[in-house]
């Protein structure tokens, strides 16, 4: 009977030791994979940042181009307006947004 109890207790402790070993192996794997995951996250962040920086640069260039176009158009319309007035033709009043632009430049 004592032998049987000893075998049961040994089996239980072996089972517990195996479970503890499995858990320790799992924790070690997670700890070892952490630096690789951080490196992958950093690389993904750098790629996203580079893409966003390129988009921002493109948007800034478009804004510069549009500002230049608006300035050229303002000058052109001003010249046409002056020519109309020289010929005795009063041009229609500009929309409020154009008056605001002419006053503020924005």
């Amino acid at each position: 009977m004592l032998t049987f109890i000893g075998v049961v207790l040994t089996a239980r402790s072996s089972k517990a030791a195996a479970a503890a070993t499995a858990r320790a192996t799992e924790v070690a794997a997670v700890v070892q994979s952490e630096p690789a995951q951080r490196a992958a996250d950093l690389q993904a962040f750098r790629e996203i940042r580079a893409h966003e920086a390129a988009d921002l640069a493109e948007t800034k260039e478009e804004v510069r181009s549009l500002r230049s176009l608006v300035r050229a158009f303002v000058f052109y319309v001003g010249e046409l307006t002056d020519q109309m007035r020289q010929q005795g033709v009063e041009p229609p009043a500009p929309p409020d947004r154009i008056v605001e632009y002419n006053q503020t430049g924005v």
Side-chain angles (χ1 to χ4, degrees):
M1 183 64 121
L2 287 176
T3 303
F4 178 72
I5 292 173
V7 168
V8 169
L9 290 177
T10 302
R12 281 188 179 174
S13 60
S14 293
K15 186 177 180 181
T21 300
R23 178 70 182 135
T25 302
E26 182 180 320
V27 168
V30 169
V31 168
Q32 289 176 354
S33 69
E34 183 66 24
Q37 183 61 46
R38 285 184 181 217
D41 291 345
L42 180 60
Q43 181 60 32
F45 172 76
R46 285 179 176 156
E47 289 172 6
I48 291 168
R49 185 180 62 189
H51 177 72
E52 293 301 318
D55 281 351
L56 181 59
E58 183 180 329
T59 301
K60 284 181 177 181
E61 184 56 36
E62 287 176 11
V63 168
R64 275 192 283 275
S65 175
L66 288 171
R67 282 182 182 155
S68 173
L69 177 64
V70 167
R71 287 184 192 113
F73 191 72
V74 165
F75 179 76
Y76 178 71
V77 169
E79 290 291 317
L80 291 177
T81 300
D82 287 344
Q83 287 181 14
M84 289 177 71
R85 287 190 176 128
Q86 287 172 1
Q87 297 297 318
V89 178
E90 186 59 32
D96 291 340
R97 179 65 181 105
I98 292 176
V99 171
E100 178 184 346
Y101 177 84
N102 287 336
Q103 292 173 349
T104 64
V106 179

